[in-house]
């Protein structure tokens, strides 16, 4: 009598399907190719992405590589609730590339990390579509990434994403804010909404306190959208606008400092570029705060101070320029289809603080 062989466990039994992951990786390569330029050396089955520096950096005398990594925080929860995943990748790219362009850097290439309990190709393809679109908007190539399947680590139907970008800037053109002086003006670029910060408070306000649903229309608050549509609105990518403006006004004494307004809002992010002896006074009447922030504040009964400390409040990027150059810079921004607003000025002060009056 032949003894039966006991079947051993497989990776599939543990919840990981190597075949599905392999097919997904193969399928997304064609999407990645849509972001490629001649600088990318194709290596579809390789262990790393290849990017040719010489063909791109020959215009630089002293090229400095600039890097950043970021995620989108709990805004992912909104995507899960709505089962809408094609914009969250734009947020991911935006959070990374907006951080390096403030130093004057041109984004070169992007990598992503997309982890889930189980690879669901339809969902992850939507996420990748957003990342590809974000890279197109930023003018950088998506040359690689990692898509681990981690059963038991993430809740069913959920995933996490992180992004990594590399850019380049001429050493003498790195924007640090060191030349900012009292009397300079603060120009704000409008945000597209909440962007990707403050969503733990957003969810607390709308879903825990007010018991609202993502499909609830906001008509009574003056918005012709649903709550979910307003919350999932992708982060604005400012790269092309900023680079056009920098190229138009190359001398360092024109664009003295740039700040990406993310977590911490205007109060925490502008001081990061201020030198000693400088503070900033912002006049809130100079720009219209988007209605979504007023809704959050009213429903959550949140103070002005807390709102300005958590959210961008309608300003996604700040440029600091000499008073004499304001009109020229505003004209350039208007031509780049990203109109700017003078929202304040640099004042004398030792504490590097932002006053909002």
């Amino acid at each position: 009598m032949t003894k039966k062989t006991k079947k051993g466990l497989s990776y599939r039994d543990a919840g990981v399907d190597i075949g599905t992951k392999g097919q997904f990786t193969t399928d997304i390569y064609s999407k990645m190719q849509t972001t490629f330029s001649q600088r990318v050396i194709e290596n579809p089955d390789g262990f790393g992405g290849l990017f040719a520096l010489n063909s791109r950096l020959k215009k630089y005398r002293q090229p400095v590589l600039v890097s950043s990594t970021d995620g989108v925080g709990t805004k992912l929860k909104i995507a899960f609730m709505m089962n809408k995943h094609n914009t969250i990748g734009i947020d991911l790219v935006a959070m990374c590339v907006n951080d390096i362009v403030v130093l004057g850097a041109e984004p070169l290439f992007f990598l992503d990390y997309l982890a889930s309990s189980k690879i669901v190709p339809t969902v992850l393809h939507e996420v990748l579509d957003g990342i590809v679109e974000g890279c197109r908007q930023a003018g950088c190539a998506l040359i690689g990434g990692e898509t681990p399947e981690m059963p038991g680590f993430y809740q069913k139907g959920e995933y996490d994403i992180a992004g990594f970008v590399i850019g380049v800037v001429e050493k003498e053109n790195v924007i640090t804010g060191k030349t900012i002086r009292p009397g300079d003006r603060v120009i704000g670029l409008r945000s597209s909404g909440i962007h990707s910060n403050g969503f733990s408070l957003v969810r607390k306000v709308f879903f825990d306190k007010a018991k609202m649903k993502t499909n609830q229309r906001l008509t009574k608050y003056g918005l012709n959208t649903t709550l979910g549509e307003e919350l999932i609105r992708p982060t604005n990518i400012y790269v092309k606008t900023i680079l056009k403006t920098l190229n138009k006004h190359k001398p360092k004494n024109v664009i003295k400092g740039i700040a990406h307004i993310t977590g911490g809002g205007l109060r925490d992010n502008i001081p990061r570029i201020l030198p000693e002896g400088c503070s900033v006074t912002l006049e809130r009447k100079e720009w219209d705060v988007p209605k979504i922030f007023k809704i959050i504040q009213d429903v959550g009964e949140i103070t002005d101070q807390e709102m300005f400390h958590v959210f961008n409040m309608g300003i996604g990027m700040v440029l600091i320029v000499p008073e004499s150059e304001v009109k020229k810079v505003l004209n350039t921004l208007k031509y780049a289809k990203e109109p700017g607003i003078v929202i304040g000025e640099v004042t004398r002060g030792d504490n590097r603080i932002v006053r909002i009056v």
Side-chain angles (χ1 to χ4, degrees), residues 70-95:
D70 212 333
V72 298
T74 61
K75 187 173 184 177
L76 284 171
K77 289 285 189 181
I78 310 300
F80 303 153
M81 293 169 72
M82 297 180 67
N83 195 26
K84 180 177 171 62
H85 310 278
N86 61 346
T87 60
I88 207 76
I90 299 175
D91 290 300
L92 181 67
V93 176
M95 294 302 289

Side-chain angles (χ1 to χ4, degrees), residues 87-117:
T87 60
I88 207 76
I90 299 175
D91 290 300
L92 181 67
V93 176
M95 294 302 289
C96 295
V97 298
N98 285 344
D99 271 357
I100 69 168
V101 78
V102 301
L103 293 165
E106 170 194 3
L108 296 176
F109 59 85
F110 191 85
L111 303 169
D112 67 82
Y113 177 87
L114 176 50
S116 61
S117 60

Side-chain angles (χ1 to χ4, degrees), residues 177-300:
K178 290 180 180 179
T179 62
I180 292 172
R181 296 292 181 267
D184 291 339
R185 294 297 189 262
V186 181
I187 295 176
L189 301 184
R190 291 179 177 86
S191 67
S192 54
I194 302 173
H195 284 183
S196 298
N197 300 101
F199 274 87
S200 292
L201 180 55
V202 166
R203 292 185 300 110
K204 186 77 173 176
V205 167
F206 289 124
F207 306 126
D208 293 347
K209 183 177 189 294
K211 307 300 182 184
M212 294 171 69
K213 305 293 184 182
T214 57
N215 63 357
Q216 182 170 331
R217 299 204 68 81
L218 300 176
T219 309
K220 73 175 183 178
Y221 298 104
L223 283 177
N224 190 29
T225 63
T226 66
L227 175 61
E229 288 169 343
E230 190 61 36
L231 298 185
I232 204 73
R233 194 182 301 277
T235 305
N236 200 2
I237 293 177
Y238 298 95
V239 170
K240 291 183 178 179
T241 295
I242 296 296
L243 292 179
K244 285 178 182 177
T245 305
L246 292 176
N247 288 334
K248 182 74 174 178
H249 307 276
K250 277 192 174 179
K252 272 182 144 184
N253 60 351
V254 175
I255 310 298
K256 293 186 172 184
I258 309 176
H260 182 201
I261 310 305
T262 54
L266 293 158
R267 292 187 183 277
D268 282 2
N269 286 289
I270 295 177
R272 295 168 65 177
I273 61 171
L274 295 177
E276 292 294 332
C278 290
S279 294
V280 159
T281 299
L282 302 179
E283 297 188 32
R284 58 183 297 180
K285 71 177 187 297
E286 295 299 328
W287 79 94
D288 294 326
V289 175
K291 289 181 180 179
I292 186 59
F293 295 112
K294 296 177 182 177
I295 298 170
I296 293 170
Q297 184 169 18
D298 290 345
V299 175

